[in-house]
């Protein structure tokens, strides 16, 4: 009987344990989903803030007569892109994807479980990033409304459809590239190369700025009007990348430490290798080039930051710094005019980073099959991004005209398209010297 | 006996379970209070950073001769306001509130449980926001010390007392508006309308800037000196709003995702609708107006972001964008001079947002009783905010003078009140053309 | 038998409890290590962003002809410093430390448990902060490559070795200052005084800028070129300090609320006391001085923010504001030229803050023994930081020259050392008036 009594007492204790343990949990332990929510919310905020970085970097590298135009393009990208991504893009990218080629649900989502909203918030900021890469390259001569329509096509179609191949399947089904085993953790290819290839298409359709190349094809320098803004833009982009790469875990996780060390070292190595290359070539270490090289390092490490050991992150960033230095020289030799070197930094470094993610895959380095899959993803991004953007911009050029007329370009788009000047107390109007093609 | 032995073994296991389970919890699971602390700390940081956004937006929209003055007002708002809110404001707003009209404890808090500090940190940043809204409207002609005294009154009295009505009761008791069921999640009314109505009182007492209106009452443009700062300010404010609305949960919670999607879509819709309106009216899409419209969207969605479905957030933001566009025209017709259109963006859009929070309340839309309560809150905010601020500024005008003298205003307050120039290498002194009233 | 059957049923329930409870935990509660990781990641990001704050504050206080130079120094500090800290600094500071004088493991870490990476990320940002303090003081006349070598010595040796004394022992063993009971929660001494003393050594070796002192030793004003950047820099530093002090808990913890209230009040009090002092002395309240005073408040509260009650944080900050105001006057009387007053803000306020952390130690105030230990730490930091930096800069001066030649200095380092101008459309070249030593 004693044993029975004891058994009863234990039973009671057991009931308490069963009841109290979840009660205790609800009271004093944090829920994983809430923690993941705040991590993704913060990361989304940081990726959003990268838009300010892009705006300043691009605005600072343009001439003051086009400052408002560049800043407005970036600001409107976010606004129009956000609405469109909610309406169309999110569904195409993450909706149920039976074919592996595009999503078919989640359009204009109006009611969903909490996590879907958090996930969409984060992805919406990514879409804006891809779109905004284009604006800097095409600066100073693109017609504002034509540009905006192009930005809508990128946010609403080009980016999300490619995204569905590599990252799709949130709503069921898997993208075909993802199914192959393509590794692009936070988007060296999905975000940056796609943006970069669209930029390449844009500058090819647009042609160079008036006066950028002399009559014999010689390059003329067109210095940016505010390098303080450029370096601030660089710092903001780097800061935002903490959310870009760190948030791509989609959960609060201990692996974030290594991801961010790789990210940071990649950026440091990019700037350092570019500086050393300049010293080696006997050239001055330009600040604009240094900032771009660090961004190139960030772009490159984005694909493999979760699956690489830090020494390889340094290597990946260092090579990217050299690519970001050499790339612009190649493009200008082809008489392509990329105001902020977006094609080199985002497309070329993105290609290298995606390859590096395959080459230096932790525990399985230099696996030929993996590298081949990476190459397929890289090539697909080029064909899709460059192809669709070329069609878009050529159509826009045909239908409504994509390039500002020469007098507007010469006077500056701020005055002619926006009716506002960036620094009205400090700028001279360019209206009075109509014969000068370049200031 | 076997069963007894088994029972004993199970008992032992049970003891282990009872002991190990909390031990395990202490070891490896996160405490909810710690997670809530970091979420509120980060949110407080983001709301703090909004001060930089206000400073740049307002500074950039002023003329360069007053840049230092505008920036200093924002910087000192935070500093003086922080100390005052700790001494007085927090107690008035969140202290034990038996009457429902103001708090009576927590003044100059020196010892408290951990969460109180975290909560105070977050609320302190909110108080600074309300105060700083005023500075932009009154820019370029207000006497610095009079302005600062006004800011102290807002931080220490006007804002916290109204706040205690709508949000009070942290230390026991409930504010009377809160008890009625007034919905203002993160402060469309409590923070933004209150700030906006104070600004309206300020500009009415101050009068317009010299030269703002011509002899026949015609409006003269006074363009801001640095639109790069304006757009950066807009981005920073938007970024900070993630903490403003997301942190107003006061806890890490899965609901934050939808709150922030609503916030972001509200801002996007504000800028987009304002741009479309400009196109429709055949006017240029001004960058300053676009940035203001997105801020208007943010202000409006702040009240209802936690209780609205995303399509209604888009609608709320879109209407706010139109209000932010039309509001300034109404004010200038009344010959009121609001340098940064703070009254339209914060007061008018705040009114609309508070109404929208009632109209589109999820699961209970268009409930007349709820809408009536919202209207009571809106009207109360106007009467209290505009009334007390008018008294404050009129008294200041009477006692010490609130407006800089005309020569100071014309030369610029930087030189005359602060003895520093914003851009000494690039500015011409305005001292040498005393007959020009406007540059 | 019934009892036996019941016992069996309970057993089954117990098994469920034992199994389900951890399963449940894995499913729905957040792990402490993941939460700590995201908190440290965010904090590291904020500390990183402080670099942008330093760059803008320093760049804005320099003349436009040296803007690129100042910004580049800050940008390269982060890049080169990051790589070096990974290679050398982290090991010296946090490696196994049997002697108490320096670490001996963790060099060029390539594989480690997750937390080590997170910890290193946070610490890497701190190292960059210490290094960058120097750049502002030495601005406008230091040779870029000599500066960079000096920065490497600080990041790789001076900072981490002192750090190992006060904070070392992560990999086993304790630093000798730490073992004595030295209190410096987030680095008033370890980061700020060390950086400030290195800056003092730098400006003593360099000498003042050309034209800074007249022929009779009278001080000539050299106003900064862009005060909008200065105030933005101040806001960013303050924002970043949330990570600097809040993250120094190294864990998500409820104590963060009080730490950050102290931090914020310290900054508010610094600016407020400096403003009141100016009013009292009948001088204008300079914005540059106000920003510096708030930073001084932040520097001072950094040591004791976790072990002080808020009223003492206000006192600590208020005294720091006065020190930040008086310090520069003392230095200029000694004909030392500190472009941004970094020595006063970081070294002097750091000394005061470290003392205050001892004086106002919660629950054990004015303990003579504790104050003595604090004094030992303060003195050691001066001897080590000033001593090693003096040797470094004197050697650099001897070997490669540390000061730009006079013509370069006069034309501006942007054009002569970097081949880029900050604002090419707005600046006049200084090449054409070779006889003017100061603009």
């Amino acid at each position: 009987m004693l044993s029975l009594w004891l058994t009863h007492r234990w039973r009671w204790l057991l009931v308490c344990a069963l009841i109290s343990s979840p009660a205790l949990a609800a009271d004093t332990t944090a829920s994983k989903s809430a923690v993941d929510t705040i991590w993704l919310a913060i990361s989304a905020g940081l990726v959003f803030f990268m838009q300010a970085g892009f705006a300043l970097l691009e605005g600072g590298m343009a001439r003051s007569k086009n400052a408002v135009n560049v800043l407005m393009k970036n600001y409107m990208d976010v606004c129009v892109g956000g609405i469109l991504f909610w309406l169309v893009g999110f569904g195409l990218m993450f909706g149920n994807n039976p074919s592996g080629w595009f999503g078919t649900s989640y359009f204009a989502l109006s009611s969903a479980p909490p996590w879907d909203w958090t996930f969409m918030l984060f992805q919406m900021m990514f879409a804006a990033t891809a779109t905004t890469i284009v604006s800097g390259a095409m600066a100073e001569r693109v017609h504002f409304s034509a540009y905006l329509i192009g930005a809508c096509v990128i946010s609403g179609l080009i980016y999300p459809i490619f995204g569905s191949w590599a990252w799709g399947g949130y709503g069921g089904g898997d993208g075909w590239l993802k199914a192959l085993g393509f590794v692009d953790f936070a988007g060296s290819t999905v975000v940056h190369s796609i943006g970069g290839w669209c930029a390449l298409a844009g500058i090819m359709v647009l042609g160079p700025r008036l006066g950028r190349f002399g009559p014999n094809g010689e390059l003329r320098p067109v210095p940016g009007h505010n390098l303080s803004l450029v370096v601030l833009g660089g710092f903001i982009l780097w800061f935002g990348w903490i959310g870009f790469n760190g948030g791509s875990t989609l959960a609060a996780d201990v692996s974030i430490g290594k991801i961010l060390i790789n990210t940071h070292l990649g950026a440091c190595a990019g700037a350092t290798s570019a500086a050393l290359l300049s010293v080696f070539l006997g050239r001055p270490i330009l600040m604009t080039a240094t900032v771009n090289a660090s961004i190139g390092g960030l772009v490159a490490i984005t694909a493999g930051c979760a699956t690489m050991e830090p020494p390889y992150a340094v290597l990946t960033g260092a090579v990217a710094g050299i690519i970001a230095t050499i790339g612009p020289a190649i493009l200008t030799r082809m008489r392509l005019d990329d105001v902020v070197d977006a094609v080199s930094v985002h497309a070329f470094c993105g290609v290298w980073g995606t390859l590096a993610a395959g080459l230096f895959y932790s525990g399985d380095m230099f696996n030929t099959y993996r590298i081949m899959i990476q190459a397929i993803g890289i090539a697909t991004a080029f064909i899709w991004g460059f192809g669709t953007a070329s069609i878009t911009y050529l159509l826009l050029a045909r239908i409504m005209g994509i390039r500002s007329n020469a007098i507007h370009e010469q006077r500056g788009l701020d005055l002619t398209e926006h009716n506002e000047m960036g620094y009205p107390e400090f700028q001279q109007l360019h209206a009075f010297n109509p014969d000068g093609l370049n200031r």
Side-chain angles (χ1 to χ4, degrees), chain A:
Chain A
M1 278 321 277
L2 179 70
S3 96
L4 203 63
W5 180 85
L6 277 171
T7 310
H8 274 289
R9 241 193 58 182
W10 285 118
R11 273 175 209 167
W12 183 82
L13 273 171
L14 176 54
V15 171
C16 290
L18 286 169
I19 292 169
S20 75
S21 150
L24 209 99
D27 221 38
T28 65
T29 68
S31 92
K32 178 162 166 40
S33 53
V35 171
D36 291 348
T37 298
I38 64 169
W39 174 239
L40 228 60
I42 296 159
S43 295
L46 289 169
V47 178
F48 167 76
F49 197 41
M50 288 171 69
Q51 293 292 332
F54 279 113
L56 296 177
L57 187 89
E58 297 172 8
M61 285 198 192
R63 283 163 295 179
S64 69
K65 65 181 180 181
N66 297 312
V68 168
N69 177 261
V70 173
L71 298 168
M72 261 302 263
K73 287 194 295 186
N74 282 277
Y75 209 80
M76 289 306 296
D77 276 352
V78 186
C79 298
V80 178
I83 302 278
L84 265 174
F85 194 76
W86 168 61
L87 287 174
V88 184
F90 185 71
L92 283 176
M93 189 153 169
F94 293 107
N96 182 25
N97 192 344
S99 66
W101 290 87
F102 56 90
T104 55
S105 53
Y106 292 150
F107 298 104
L109 209 60
S110 72
S111 134
W115 182 255
D116 286 6
W117 297 117
T118 309
F119 181 72
M120 186 203 272
L121 181 76
F122 187 66
Q123 297 299 341
M124 192 176 274
M125 304 310 182
F126 268 61
T129 306
T131 308
T132 253
I133 288 167
V134 177
S135 69
M138 296 169 74
E140 304 206 281
R141 75 267 202 206
V142 66
H143 200 283
F144 185 62
S145 11
Y147 168 80
L148 261 194
I149 294 171
C152 291
V153 175
I154 299 173
S155 284
L157 291 175
I158 299 178
Y159 168 74
I161 289 179
F162 185 82
S164 82
W165 305 347
W167 290 350
Y170 180 78
D174 255 356
W176 67 268
L177 264 171
K178 187 184 188 177
L180 283 179
F182 180 60
V183 174
D184 185 7
F185 179 66
S188 286
T189 287
V190 176
V191 180
H192 294 281
S193 287
I194 286 288
W197 296 132
C198 292
L200 179 62
I203 60 175
M204 287 177 73
V205 172
L206 268 181
R209 286 168 288 176
L210 293 176
R212 174 62 167 153
F213 295 100
N216 306 314
E218 73 276 16
L219 187 70
R220 287 178 181 158
V222 185
H225 82 284
N226 194 329
L227 298 203
S228 299
L229 297 186
V230 170
V231 83
L232 177 57
F235 274 123
I236 291 177
L237 284 169
W238 193 332
F239 177 47
W241 232 284
I242 287 169
F244 201 90
N245 286 1
S248 289
T249 49
L250 302 176
D253 192 87
V254 293
S255 66
I256 291 165
K258 190 160 98 179
I259 288 170
L260 293 180
I261 274 283
N262 281 344
T263 302
H264 191 68
L265 287 178
C268 294
T272 307
S273 76
L276 291 176
L277 181 65
S278 295
V279 170
F280 182 76
L281 296 175
R283 296 198 191 142
I285 308 175
L286 297 179
M287 191 175 81
T288 44
T290 305
V291 171
N292 264 342
S294 65
I295 307 298
L298 288 165
V299 167
I301 197 58
T302 291
C305 57
T307 51
M308 212 184 260
E309 301 309 312
Y312 296 100
V314 172
L315 181 58
T316 301
V319 172
I322 290 165
I323 294 173
T325 308
I326 294 173
I330 295 171
L331 290 175
T332 49
R333 195 154 299 178
M334 296 165 70
R335 300 193 61 162
L336 292 170
D337 182 15
D338 180 347
V339 176
V340 301
D341 296 330
V343 176
S344 305
V345 168
H346 296 278
F348 297 170
C349 291
V351 166
W352 157 243
T354 310
L355 208 62
L359 289 168
F360 309 137
Y361 195 89
S362 189
D364 180 30
M365 299 216 297
F366 310 115
N367 173 324
T368 323
Y369 177 76
R370 185 183 299 286
I371 295 164
M372 205 187 65
I373 301 294
Q374 296 300 97
I376 291 173
I378 291 165
T380 307
F382 172 73
I383 296 168
W384 172 256
F386 183 74
T388 53
S390 296
I391 295 168
T392 306
Y393 290 124
L394 284 170
L395 277 176
L396 285 169
R398 182 67 58 98
I399 296 167
M400 64 189 291
I402 195 171
R403 182 153 184 154
S404 297
N405 74 47
I407 290 178
H408 284 195
E409 185 179 342
Q410 178 204 324
R411 286 187 173 185
L413 303 178
D414 291 3
L415 206 63
T416 54
E417 297 213 351
H418 298 275
N419 223 22
E420 272 184 324
M421 291 175 75
Y423 316 91
E425 302 180 22
F426 304 110
Q427 285 172 291
Q428 285 157 338
L429 290 182
H430 296 278
F432 306 106
N433 49 335
D435 42 12
L437 284 180
N438 197 12
R439 43 158 290 121

